[in-house]
Amino acid sequence: MKKTTITALTAAILLAFSAGAMAETMSKSDYKASKSSISSEYKAAKEKCDSLSGNANDVCEAEAKGNENVAKAELEAKYKPSEKTRYKALMAKAEAAYKVGKERCDDKSGNAKDVCVKEAKAAYVHAKADAKVQMKTLQADEKAGNASAEANMKAKEKTSDAQHDAAKDKRSADFAVAKEKCETYSGAAKDRCINQAKAQFGM
């Protein structure tokens, strides 16, 4: 999974759960009906997985469970819109993608599998970091809504801190991927590869 793919994935996840998208609400009866529908869809998806074997079955079941968890989290965010439920929806999507990605890595072996796992982890770290930044930003904006200039400044500082922490987490995850790729080399070539990765990600 290339860095551009990771970036595109996290951007798509965040876009899907923007504040505007979560503004809608639903009745209690619609909520219950949707919840029942999600359970039925999961059972149907899981039954289809039973016809598969080996890792194909594992991937299928991970996808089915991931879709169920995401659908439930999205439903909660629609039924009770808040920063917390939006964040949980973002995290459900990130976790589902990570678990499916890890299962797919089992089709590989050796360094290719190790790199695959690190890339899946990096994509998860990116999505998790961006979700946290979005939640912190929404919280800060809400608190600073009708507050003083000083409060607004503090809100911006909290958002900036969250963005800084997110960038640091992303760099660490991306460095882990680059470092794992260096394992295909040995001796001086491996050292050069690791040093280049350190320089690129500021490690």
Side-chain angles (χ1 to χ4, degrees), residues 130-160:
D130 287 338
K132 189 173 182 179
V133 168
Q134 187 185 61
M135 181 180 70
K136 292 287 185 182
T137 301
L138 288 172
Q139 289 177 339
D141 288 346
E142 183 179 355
K143 288 180 180 179
N146 297 310
S148 64
E150 182 181 355
N152 279 311
M153 183 62 69
K154 287 183 179 179
K156 288 180 180 179
E157 286 175 359
K158 286 184 179 180
T159 298
S160 179

PDB file of all heavy atoms in Angstrom, residues 130-160:
ATOM      1  N   ASP A 130      -5.994  11.154  12.103  1.00  0.00           N
ATOM      2  CA  ASP A 130      -6.868  12.151  11.478  1.00  0.00           C
ATOM      3  C   ASP A 130      -8.219  12.239  12.184  1.00  0.00           C
ATOM      4  O   ASP A 130      -8.798  13.322  12.308  1.00  0.00           O
ATOM      5  CB  ASP A 130      -7.073  11.829   9.993  1.00  0.00           C
ATOM      6  CG  ASP A 130      -5.831  12.127   9.157  1.00  0.00           C
ATOM      7  OD1 ASP A 130      -4.997  12.936   9.611  1.00  0.00           O
ATOM      8  OD2 ASP A 130      -5.687  11.551   8.065  1.00  0.00           O
ATOM      9  N   ALA A 131      -8.714  11.090  12.650  1.00  0.00           N
ATOM     10  CA  ALA A 131      -9.987  11.081  13.369  1.00  0.00           C
ATOM     11  C   ALA A 131      -9.858  11.864  14.672  1.00  0.00           C
ATOM     12  O   ALA A 131     -10.760  12.622  15.056  1.00  0.00           O
ATOM     13  CB  ALA A 131     -10.409   9.641  13.659  1.00  0.00           C
ATOM     14  N   LYS A 132      -8.721  11.685  15.342  1.00  0.00           N
ATOM     15  CA  LYS A 132      -8.499  12.386  16.609  1.00  0.00           C
ATOM     16  C   LYS A 132      -8.392  13.892  16.383  1.00  0.00           C
ATOM     17  O   LYS A 132      -8.936  14.686  17.156  1.00  0.00           O
ATOM     18  CB  LYS A 132      -7.221  11.870  17.271  1.00  0.00           C
ATOM     19  CG  LYS A 132      -7.022  12.374  18.687  1.00  0.00           C
ATOM     20  CD  LYS A 132      -5.837  11.699  19.356  1.00  0.00           C
ATOM     21  CE  LYS A 132      -5.678  12.183  20.798  1.00  0.00           C
ATOM     22  NZ  LYS A 132      -4.543  11.516  21.474  1.00  0.00           N
ATOM     23  N   VAL A 133      -7.702  14.291  15.311  1.00  0.00           N
ATOM     24  CA  VAL A 133      -7.580  15.716  14.991  1.00  0.00           C
ATOM     25  C   VAL A 133      -8.950  16.318  14.716  1.00  0.00           C
ATOM     26  O   VAL A 133      -9.278  17.405  15.192  1.00  0.00           O
ATOM     27  CB  VAL A 133      -6.662  15.932  13.760  1.00  0.00           C
ATOM     28  CG1 VAL A 133      -6.776  17.369  13.260  1.00  0.00           C
ATOM     29  CG2 VAL A 133      -5.214  15.635  14.119  1.00  0.00           C
ATOM     30  N   GLN A 134      -9.767  15.580  13.951  1.00  0.00           N
ATOM     31  CA  GLN A 134     -11.099  16.088  13.630  1.00  0.00           C
ATOM     32  C   GLN A 134     -11.940  16.259  14.886  1.00  0.00           C
ATOM     33  O   GLN A 134     -12.624  17.274  15.056  1.00  0.00           O
ATOM     34  CB  GLN A 134     -11.814  15.156  12.655  1.00  0.00           C
ATOM     35  CG  GLN A 134     -13.139  15.737  12.148  1.00  0.00           C
ATOM     36  CD  GLN A 134     -13.900  14.774  11.275  1.00  0.00           C
ATOM     37  OE1 GLN A 134     -14.279  13.696  11.712  1.00  0.00           O
ATOM     38  NE2 GLN A 134     -14.126  15.144  10.034  1.00  0.00           N
ATOM     39  N   MET A 135     -11.870  15.280  15.798  1.00  0.00           N
ATOM     40  CA  MET A 135     -12.647  15.363  17.025  1.00  0.00           C
ATOM     41  C   MET A 135     -12.174  16.553  17.880  1.00  0.00           C
ATOM     42  O   MET A 135     -12.986  17.325  18.390  1.00  0.00           O
ATOM     43  CB  MET A 135     -12.519  14.077  17.839  1.00  0.00           C
ATOM     44  CG  MET A 135     -13.339  14.095  19.126  1.00  0.00           C
ATOM     45  SD  MET A 135     -13.187  12.583  20.109  1.00  0.00           S
ATOM     46  CE  MET A 135     -11.503  12.732  20.698  1.00  0.00           C
ATOM     47  N   LYS A 136     -10.855  16.702  18.023  1.00  0.00           N
ATOM     48  CA  LYS A 136     -10.306  17.809  18.815  1.00  0.00           C
ATOM     49  C   LYS A 136     -10.686  19.157  18.205  1.00  0.00           C
ATOM     50  O   LYS A 136     -10.993  20.115  18.924  1.00  0.00           O
ATOM     51  CB  LYS A 136      -8.784  17.692  18.881  1.00  0.00           C
ATOM     52  CG  LYS A 136      -8.270  16.510  19.677  1.00  0.00           C
ATOM     53  CD  LYS A 136      -8.461  16.706  21.161  1.00  0.00           C
ATOM     54  CE  LYS A 136      -7.841  15.577  21.950  1.00  0.00           C
ATOM     55  NZ  LYS A 136      -8.062  15.716  23.417  1.00  0.00           N
ATOM     56  N   THR A 137     -10.668  19.234  16.871  1.00  0.00           N
ATOM     57  CA  THR A 137     -11.014  20.476  16.191  1.00  0.00           C
ATOM     58  C   THR A 137     -12.473  20.842  16.424  1.00  0.00           C
ATOM     59  O   THR A 137     -12.800  21.999  16.713  1.00  0.00           O
ATOM     60  CB  THR A 137     -10.756  20.356  14.672  1.00  0.00           C
ATOM     61  OG1 THR A 137      -9.375  20.058  14.449  1.00  0.00           O
ATOM     62  CG2 THR A 137     -11.107  21.643  13.949  1.00  0.00           C
ATOM     63  N   LEU A 138     -13.357  19.848  16.316  1.00  0.00           N
ATOM     64  CA  LEU A 138     -14.783  20.093  16.531  1.00  0.00           C
ATOM     65  C   LEU A 138     -15.050  20.518  17.971  1.00  0.00           C
ATOM     66  O   LEU A 138     -15.849  21.427  18.230  1.00  0.00           O
ATOM     67  CB  LEU A 138     -15.586  18.833  16.201  1.00  0.00           C
ATOM     68  CG  LEU A 138     -15.695  18.460  14.717  1.00  0.00           C
ATOM     69  CD1 LEU A 138     -16.351  17.096  14.557  1.00  0.00           C
ATOM     70  CD2 LEU A 138     -16.495  19.514  13.952  1.00  0.00           C
ATOM     71  N   GLN A 139     -14.373  19.866  18.918  1.00  0.00           N
ATOM     72  CA  GLN A 139     -14.550  20.211  20.323  1.00  0.00           C
ATOM     73  C   GLN A 139     -14.067  21.631  20.598  1.00  0.00           C
ATOM     74  O   GLN A 139     -14.728  22.405  21.307  1.00  0.00           O
ATOM     75  CB  GLN A 139     -13.790  19.217  21.206  1.00  0.00           C
ATOM     76  CG  GLN A 139     -14.414  17.839  21.250  1.00  0.00           C
ATOM     77  CD  GLN A 139     -13.592  16.861  22.068  1.00  0.00           C
ATOM     78  OE1 GLN A 139     -12.398  17.063  22.289  1.00  0.00           O
ATOM     79  NE2 GLN A 139     -14.215  15.782  22.512  1.00  0.00           N
ATOM     80  N   ALA A 140     -12.916  21.964  20.036  1.00  0.00           N
ATOM     81  CA  ALA A 140     -12.355  23.294  20.248  1.00  0.00           C
ATOM     82  C   ALA A 140     -13.233  24.362  19.624  1.00  0.00           C
ATOM     83  O   ALA A 140     -13.472  25.425  20.225  1.00  0.00           O
ATOM     84  CB  ALA A 140     -10.948  23.362  19.655  1.00  0.00           C
ATOM     85  N   ASP A 141     -13.733  24.097  18.422  1.00  0.00           N
ATOM     86  CA  ASP A 141     -14.600  25.065  17.740  1.00  0.00           C
ATOM     87  C   ASP A 141     -15.891  25.301  18.521  1.00  0.00           C
ATOM     88  O   ASP A 141     -16.388  26.429  18.599  1.00  0.00           O
ATOM     89  CB  ASP A 141     -14.935  24.576  16.328  1.00  0.00           C
ATOM     90  CG  ASP A 141     -13.741  24.674  15.391  1.00  0.00           C
ATOM     91  OD1 ASP A 141     -12.762  25.352  15.743  1.00  0.00           O
ATOM     92  OD2 ASP A 141     -13.781  24.050  14.314  1.00  0.00           O
ATOM     93  N   GLU A 142     -16.432  24.213  19.073  1.00  0.00           N
ATOM     94  CA  GLU A 142     -17.683  24.329  19.821  1.00  0.00           C
ATOM     95  C   GLU A 142     -17.490  25.173  21.078  1.00  0.00           C
ATOM     96  O   GLU A 142     -18.297  26.051  21.396  1.00  0.00           O
ATOM     97  CB  GLU A 142     -18.187  22.933  20.211  1.00  0.00           C
ATOM     98  CG  GLU A 142     -19.524  22.966  20.926  1.00  0.00           C
ATOM     99  CD  GLU A 142     -20.033  21.585  21.292  1.00  0.00           C
ATOM    100  OE1 GLU A 142     -19.395  20.594  20.899  1.00  0.00           O
ATOM    101  OE2 GLU A 142     -21.061  21.508  21.982  1.00  0.00           O
ATOM    102  N   LYS A 143     -16.378  24.919  21.802  1.00  0.00           N
ATOM    103  CA  LYS A 143     -16.122  25.655  23.033  1.00  0.00           C
ATOM    104  C   LYS A 143     -15.829  27.132  22.766  1.00  0.00           C
ATOM    105  O   LYS A 143     -16.131  28.000  23.569  1.00  0.00           O
ATOM    106  CB  LYS A 143     -14.938  25.028  23.779  1.00  0.00           C
ATOM    107  CG  LYS A 143     -15.269  23.678  24.410  1.00  0.00           C
ATOM    108  CD  LYS A 143     -14.062  23.114  25.134  1.00  0.00           C
ATOM    109  CE  LYS A 143     -14.397  21.759  25.760  1.00  0.00           C
ATOM    110  NZ  LYS A 143     -13.227  21.161  26.448  1.00  0.00           N
ATOM    111  N   ALA A 144     -15.213  27.387  21.604  1.00  0.00           N
ATOM    112  CA  ALA A 144     -14.825  28.756  21.286  1.00  0.00           C
ATOM    113  C   ALA A 144     -15.903  29.518  20.526  1.00  0.00           C
ATOM    114  O   ALA A 144     -15.718  30.691  20.200  1.00  0.00           O
ATOM    115  CB  ALA A 144     -13.541  28.756  20.467  1.00  0.00           C
ATOM    116  N   GLY A 145     -17.009  28.848  20.267  1.00  0.00           N
ATOM    117  CA  GLY A 145     -18.076  29.426  19.463  1.00  0.00           C
ATOM    118  C   GLY A 145     -18.420  30.869  19.776  1.00  0.00           C
ATOM    119  O   GLY A 145     -18.319  31.742  18.916  1.00  0.00           O
ATOM    120  N   ASN A 146     -18.809  31.120  20.999  1.00  0.00           N
ATOM    121  CA  ASN A 146     -19.181  32.484  21.384  1.00  0.00           C
ATOM    122  C   ASN A 146     -18.298  32.994  22.522  1.00  0.00           C
ATOM    123  O   ASN A 146     -18.729  33.798  23.353  1.00  0.00           O
ATOM    124  CB  ASN A 146     -20.655  32.522  21.819  1.00  0.00           C
ATOM    125  CG  ASN A 146     -21.594  32.147  20.684  1.00  0.00           C
ATOM    126  OD1 ASN A 146     -21.488  32.689  19.585  1.00  0.00           O
ATOM    127  ND2 ASN A 146     -22.492  31.226  20.945  1.00  0.00           N
ATOM    128  N   ALA A 147     -17.064  32.521  22.545  1.00  0.00           N
ATOM    129  CA  ALA A 147     -16.166  32.870  23.637  1.00  0.00           C
ATOM    130  C   ALA A 147     -15.302  34.081  23.290  1.00  0.00           C
ATOM    131  O   ALA A 147     -15.418  34.661  22.222  1.00  0.00           O
ATOM    132  CB  ALA A 147     -15.290  31.677  23.983  1.00  0.00           C
ATOM    133  N   SER A 148     -14.431  34.405  24.200  1.00  0.00           N
ATOM    134  CA  SER A 148     -13.547  35.564  24.033  1.00  0.00           C
ATOM    135  C   SER A 148     -12.424  35.257  23.050  1.00  0.00           C
ATOM    136  O   SER A 148     -12.225  34.121  22.637  1.00  0.00           O
ATOM    137  CB  SER A 148     -12.935  35.929  25.383  1.00  0.00           C
ATOM    138  OG  SER A 148     -12.113  34.862  25.830  1.00  0.00           O
ATOM    139  N   ALA A 149     -11.670  36.308  22.696  1.00  0.00           N
ATOM    140  CA  ALA A 149     -10.530  36.148  21.783  1.00  0.00           C
ATOM    141  C   ALA A 149      -9.493  35.219  22.402  1.00  0.00           C
ATOM    142  O   ALA A 149      -8.857  34.417  21.706  1.00  0.00           O
ATOM    143  CB  ALA A 149      -9.912  37.508  21.493  1.00  0.00           C
ATOM    144  N   GLU A 150      -9.329  35.295  23.723  1.00  0.00           N
ATOM    145  CA  GLU A 150      -8.354  34.445  24.421  1.00  0.00           C
ATOM    146  C   GLU A 150      -8.765  32.974  24.316  1.00  0.00           C
ATOM    147  O   GLU A 150      -7.932  32.099  24.094  1.00  0.00           O
ATOM    148  CB  GLU A 150      -8.262  34.855  25.895  1.00  0.00           C
ATOM    149  CG  GLU A 150      -7.221  34.047  26.670  1.00  0.00           C
ATOM    150  CD  GLU A 150      -7.154  34.448  28.137  1.00  0.00           C
ATOM    151  OE1 GLU A 150      -7.851  35.425  28.521  1.00  0.00           O
ATOM    152  OE2 GLU A 150      -6.422  33.799  28.883  1.00  0.00           O
ATOM    153  N   ALA A 151     -10.059  32.721  24.477  1.00  0.00           N
ATOM    154  CA  ALA A 151     -10.557  31.347  24.386  1.00  0.00           C
ATOM    155  C   ALA A 151     -10.387  30.813  22.975  1.00  0.00           C
ATOM    156  O   ALA A 151     -10.059  29.636  22.766  1.00  0.00           O
ATOM    157  CB  ALA A 151     -12.028  31.304  24.792  1.00  0.00           C
ATOM    158  N   ASN A 152     -10.619  31.674  22.007  1.00  0.00           N
ATOM    159  CA  ASN A 152     -10.433  31.270  20.616  1.00  0.00           C
ATOM    160  C   ASN A 152      -8.989  30.902  20.332  1.00  0.00           C
ATOM    161  O   ASN A 152      -8.697  29.956  19.604  1.00  0.00           O
ATOM    162  CB  ASN A 152     -10.868  32.397  19.670  1.00  0.00           C
ATOM    163  CG  ASN A 152     -12.374  32.436  19.469  1.00  0.00           C
ATOM    164  OD1 ASN A 152     -12.984  31.420  19.190  1.00  0.00           O
ATOM    165  ND2 ASN A 152     -12.958  33.599  19.621  1.00  0.00           N
ATOM    166  N   MET A 153      -8.068  31.654  20.901  1.00  0.00           N
ATOM    167  CA  MET A 153      -6.649  31.392  20.727  1.00  0.00           C
ATOM    168  C   MET A 153      -6.273  30.047  21.338  1.00  0.00           C
ATOM    169  O   MET A 153      -5.524  29.261  20.755  1.00  0.00           O
ATOM    170  CB  MET A 153      -5.817  32.506  21.379  1.00  0.00           C
ATOM    171  CG  MET A 153      -4.311  32.353  21.179  1.00  0.00           C
ATOM    172  SD  MET A 153      -3.829  32.404  19.434  1.00  0.00           S
ATOM    173  CE  MET A 153      -4.165  34.128  19.063  1.00  0.00           C
ATOM    174  N   LYS A 154      -6.819  29.769  22.528  1.00  0.00           N
ATOM    175  CA  LYS A 154      -6.543  28.495  23.188  1.00  0.00           C
ATOM    176  C   LYS A 154      -7.102  27.326  22.373  1.00  0.00           C
ATOM    177  O   LYS A 154      -6.500  26.255  22.295  1.00  0.00           O
ATOM    178  CB  LYS A 154      -7.142  28.490  24.598  1.00  0.00           C
ATOM    179  CG  LYS A 154      -6.391  29.368  25.586  1.00  0.00           C
ATOM    180  CD  LYS A 154      -6.994  29.272  26.975  1.00  0.00           C
ATOM    181  CE  LYS A 154      -6.222  30.134  27.963  1.00  0.00           C
ATOM    182  NZ  LYS A 154      -6.798  30.073  29.336  1.00  0.00           N
ATOM    183  N   ALA A 155      -8.262  27.530  21.765  1.00  0.00           N
ATOM    184  CA  ALA A 155      -8.879  26.495  20.943  1.00  0.00           C
ATOM    185  C   ALA A 155      -7.991  26.179  19.744  1.00  0.00           C
ATOM    186  O   ALA A 155      -7.790  25.026  19.380  1.00  0.00           O
ATOM    187  CB  ALA A 155     -10.258  26.945  20.473  1.00  0.00           C
ATOM    188  N   LYS A 156      -7.444  27.229  19.132  1.00  0.00           N
ATOM    189  CA  LYS A 156      -6.560  27.036  17.988  1.00  0.00           C
ATOM    190  C   LYS A 156      -5.280  26.312  18.396  1.00  0.00           C
ATOM    191  O   LYS A 156      -4.739  25.494  17.653  1.00  0.00           O
ATOM    192  CB  LYS A 156      -6.210  28.391  17.359  1.00  0.00           C
ATOM    193  CG  LYS A 156      -7.373  29.033  16.613  1.00  0.00           C
ATOM    194  CD  LYS A 156      -6.978  30.370  16.002  1.00  0.00           C
ATOM    195  CE  LYS A 156      -8.141  31.000  15.256  1.00  0.00           C
ATOM    196  NZ  LYS A 156      -7.790  32.318  14.675  1.00  0.00           N
ATOM    197  N   GLU A 157      -4.799  26.616  19.609  1.00  0.00           N
ATOM    198  CA  GLU A 157      -3.589  25.967  20.107  1.00  0.00           C
ATOM    199  C   GLU A 157      -3.825  24.471  20.307  1.00  0.00           C
ATOM    200  O   GLU A 157      -2.961  23.643  19.999  1.00  0.00           O
ATOM    201  CB  GLU A 157      -3.156  26.605  21.432  1.00  0.00           C
ATOM    202  CG  GLU A 157      -2.540  27.993  21.269  1.00  0.00           C
ATOM    203  CD  GLU A 157      -2.227  28.632  22.606  1.00  0.00           C
ATOM    204  OE1 GLU A 157      -2.507  28.008  23.651  1.00  0.00           O
ATOM    205  OE2 GLU A 157      -1.703  29.762  22.613  1.00  0.00           O
ATOM    206  N   LYS A 158      -5.006  24.109  20.826  1.00  0.00           N
ATOM    207  CA  LYS A 158      -5.332  22.691  21.030  1.00  0.00           C
ATOM    208  C   LYS A 158      -5.409  21.952  19.701  1.00  0.00           C
ATOM    209  O   LYS A 158      -4.943  20.814  19.573  1.00  0.00           O
ATOM    210  CB  LYS A 158      -6.665  22.569  21.787  1.00  0.00           C
ATOM    211  CG  LYS A 158      -6.568  22.924  23.261  1.00  0.00           C
ATOM    212  CD  LYS A 158      -7.890  22.690  23.964  1.00  0.00           C
ATOM    213  CE  LYS A 158      -7.782  23.028  25.451  1.00  0.00           C
ATOM    214  NZ  LYS A 158      -9.070  22.801  26.168  1.00  0.00           N
ATOM    215  N   THR A 159      -5.993  22.612  18.713  1.00  0.00           N
ATOM    216  CA  THR A 159      -6.074  22.005  17.388  1.00  0.00           C
ATOM    217  C   THR A 159      -4.684  21.819  16.801  1.00  0.00           C
ATOM    218  O   THR A 159      -4.367  20.782  16.225  1.00  0.00           O
ATOM    219  CB  THR A 159      -6.917  22.886  16.445  1.00  0.00           C
ATOM    220  OG1 THR A 159      -8.248  22.977  16.958  1.00  0.00           O
ATOM    221  CG2 THR A 159      -6.962  22.286  15.043  1.00  0.00           C
ATOM    222  N   SER A 160      -3.841  22.824  16.974  1.00  0.00           N
ATOM    223  CA  SER A 160      -2.467  22.759  16.461  1.00  0.00           C
ATOM    224  C   SER A 160      -1.689  21.629  17.135  1.00  0.00           C
ATOM    225  O   SER A 160      -0.941  20.907  16.474  1.00  0.00           O
ATOM    226  CB  SER A 160      -1.763  24.096  16.702  1.00  0.00           C
ATOM    227  OG  SER A 160      -0.436  24.051  16.230  1.00  0.00           O
TER     228      SER A 160
END
